[in-house]
Amino acid sequence: MTLRFSVLASGSTGNAFYIESNEQKFLVDAGLSGKQMDHLFSKVNVDPAQLTGILVTHEHSDHIKGLGIIARKYNLPIYANEKTWNAMEKSLGKLSLDQKFIFGMEEVKTFGDMDIESFGVSHDAAEPMFYTFRHDGKKVALVTDLGYVSERIKKTVEDADAYIFEANHDVGMLRMGRYPWSVKRRILGDSGHVSNEDAGLALTDIISNRTKRIYLAHLSLDNNMKDLARMSVQNVLHERGIEIDLQDTDPKNPTALYEVG
Ligand SMILES: [Zn+2]
Ligand SMILES: [Zn+2]
């Protein structure tokens, strides 16, 4: 009895996350083309036709690009909150009524042997939210696309066995980089993305003895590098005496299916 997951793809070019228990198989977001999504599934030996459903975090295209296509192709239910549905529905194409489900903000839903809890984040979308997954005493938290990590979020995601956590940018690289100031301000702002250092600081508050592994996710292609993200987060944790297994994620390649426990 356990939880297994793979970060199928992560970054501003497209996000998709897969998690399964013995009975349930969920995809969170489908931010790459239908063809790319199929390719990612085949790389981790998951048959998308077997999915329980697709959870959506928010309507940005790097999270829903292939959503309509995958949902239609495999006749899968989609779960999102009402405002996200309103914001994304037009771009999904035709779906049948029995594919549309509401997953409210700050709600816990039980699907067989898995409990999924949603929590709101500060990000420039209609009503962005992320999820924790619980099964048989294990907990996994998915936290990306947020301007800052509030106390409320910390409470919800604390004490998990594994995290998929945003380390979007290096503040120095972003400031020095080629982006126009308006874009820099958006990324650095409260509704943007979490920097490497802020990820490290938030993680020091939320991880516990049971935390075994952290995947650094949603890295900016222009304003970050895998090594830099890992080192920055590691430094912050190290200063507080915490040693933990930090893993990379990739925009195009899935992480190996990881068994929590
Ligand atoms: Zn976003
Ligand atoms: Zn995103």
Side-chain angles (χ1 to χ4, degrees), residues 11-15 29 57-58 60-63 123 130 144-145 166 168 186 193 218:
S12 48
T13 48
N15 295 275
D29 292 339
T57 62
H58 63 299
H60 287 163
S61 64
D62 59 319
H63 295 260
H123 186 60
F130 281 81
T144 68
D145 296 77
E166 170 161 66
N168 180 260
R186 183 214 151 217
H193 291 278
H218 217 300

Side-chain angles (χ1 to χ4, degrees), residues 205-224:
D205 287 344
I206 59 182
I207 61 177
S208 70
N209 291 336
R210 75 189 252 190
T211 309
K212 297 283 180 310
R213 196 177 260 215
I214 298 164
Y215 289 78
L216 300 179
H218 217 300
L219 269 65
S220 165
L221 278 181
D222 297 295
N223 302 308
N224 212 351

Side-chain angles (χ1 to χ4, degrees), residues 8-246:
L8 298 176
S10 184
S12 48
T13 48
N15 295 275
F17 174 69
Y18 172 73
I19 187 160
E20 65 175 28
S21 61
N22 289 353
E23 295 173 9
Q24 307 296 317
K25 296 171 193 290
F26 279 97
L27 174 67
V28 184
D29 292 339
L32 297 91
S33 71
K35 203 173 159 185
Q36 286 172 306
M37 288 299 307
D38 276 336
H39 185 59
L40 293 168
F41 279 122
S42 72
K43 280 189 170 173
V44 287
N45 279 318
V46 170
D47 175 5
Q50 303 293 316
L51 288 172
T52 315
I54 309 173
L55 308 168
V56 181
T57 62
H58 63 299
E59 73 279 12
H60 287 163
S61 64
D62 59 319
H63 295 260
I64 65 161
K65 192 175 178 191
L67 178 58
I69 299 155
I70 291 288
R72 260 189 304 281
K73 185 168 177 187
Y74 301 107
N75 190 30
L76 299 169
I78 300 174
Y79 297 84
N81 64 44
E82 225 164 318
K83 284 184 184 160
T84 300
W85 267 118
N86 291 339
M88 72 179 179
E89 197 152 9
K90 269 199 202 112
S91 54
L92 298 186
K94 209 169 165 43
L95 293 166
S96 72
L97 261 182
D98 63 2
Q99 287 179 286
K100 299 178 192 172
F101 292 87
I102 299 289
F103 199 132
M105 267 278 245
E106 258 116 66
E107 188 182 342
V108 182
K109 276 189 194 292
T110 300
F111 298 89
D113 61 1
M114 200 191 290
D115 291 328
I116 304 178
E117 180 172 5
S118 66
F119 57 93
V121 295
S122 166
H123 186 60
D124 52 359
E127 192 167 61
M129 63 181 197
F130 281 81
Y131 302 92
T132 69
F133 305 84
R134 269 194 229 111
H135 165 73
D136 197 29
K138 303 290 180 205
K139 177 177 173 182
V140 172
L142 174 66
V143 193
T144 68
D145 296 77
L146 71 176
Y148 69 100
V149 188
S150 68
E151 291 308 311
R152 193 185 177 125
I153 293 172
K154 286 180 189 171
K155 265 255 126 354
T156 308
V157 304
E158 70 184 0
D159 194 28
D161 297 273
Y163 290 92
I164 300 85
F165 209 91
E166 170 161 66
N168 180 260
H169 54 274
D170 175 79
V171 175
M173 276 181 85
L174 178 67
R175 284 190 192 279
M176 302 295 286
R178 62 182 176 84
Y179 285 9
W181 179 241
S182 58
V183 177
K184 293 182 182 179
R185 200 162 46 201
R186 183 214 151 217
I187 296 171
L188 290 166
D190 278 353
S191 301
H193 291 278
V194 168
S195 70
N196 296 339
E197 193 176 4
D198 286 346
L201 290 170
L203 283 163
T204 57
D205 287 344
I206 59 182
I207 61 177
S208 70
N209 291 336
R210 75 189 252 190
T211 309
K212 297 283 180 310
R213 196 177 260 215
I214 298 164
Y215 289 78
L216 300 179
H218 217 300
L219 269 65
S220 165
L221 278 181
D222 297 295
N223 302 308
N224 212 351
M225 292 176 286
K226 286 178 186 174
D227 289 347
L228 180 61
R230 224 182 315 105
M231 272 164 47
S232 307
V233 173
Q234 205 159 42
N235 280 345
V236 177
L237 296 176
H238 191 79
E239 277 170 22
R240 287 150 186 86
I242 304 166
E243 299 297 336
I244 202 146
D245 181 9
L246 296 177

